[in-house]
Amino acid sequence: MDKPSTEVVRFAPKQRPRGELEPIDQAGHAVIGLLKEAADISKENIERSMTVAHRLSLELRTAEDRIREREGEVERRESRATRAEQWLATIKKEIEDTLIAPMEASRSEPQMLN
């Protein structure tokens, strides 16, 4: 039977060329790069969102101005309609008093024949 070998083989760490980073340093730099990229994307998204919010704010202000104009138009038209109804009532009363009432009065009077 063979004896198990108790010999230990040692591996020397790989020598890196001068200036080459350790894997942990490479990973750290990669993470920092990704964070900077995420920050840039986030900044672009914020700028886009602010631009859209500003545009929508202007559109909302314009819509509110148009609503106020339309409300003013409605009030003016309602006022005109009310005045027109008052005039129609006045005209109706005038017709009844000056035309219809005298005609009815003359009909109810007995007419004399000559």
Side-chain angles (χ1 to χ4, degrees), residues 9-20:
V9 179
R10 294 191 181 248
F11 293 100
K14 293 182 181 176
Q15 296 295 323
R16 296 187 198 319
R18 198 173 273 265
E20 187 176 316

Side-chain angles (χ1 to χ4, degrees), residues 49-96:
S49 296
M50 293 298 287
T51 299
V52 169
H54 180 69
R55 181 179 51 82
L56 291 175
S57 173
L58 292 176
E59 288 179 15
L60 177 61
R61 191 171 300 135
T62 300
E64 289 171 340
D65 290 344
R66 277 186 291 195
I67 288 170
R68 278 190 288 281
E69 288 174 10
R70 298 306 180 265
E71 287 172 341
E73 287 177 21
V74 167
E75 288 177 17
R76 284 188 296 277
R77 291 174 192 243
E78 285 176 343
S79 175
R80 286 182 66 190
T82 301
R83 284 195 336 260
E85 288 174 352
Q86 291 169 347
W87 274 111
L88 287 174
T90 302
I91 292 167
K92 177 185 176 198
K93 182 165 179 9
E94 187 70 20
I95 290 172
E96 288 172 349

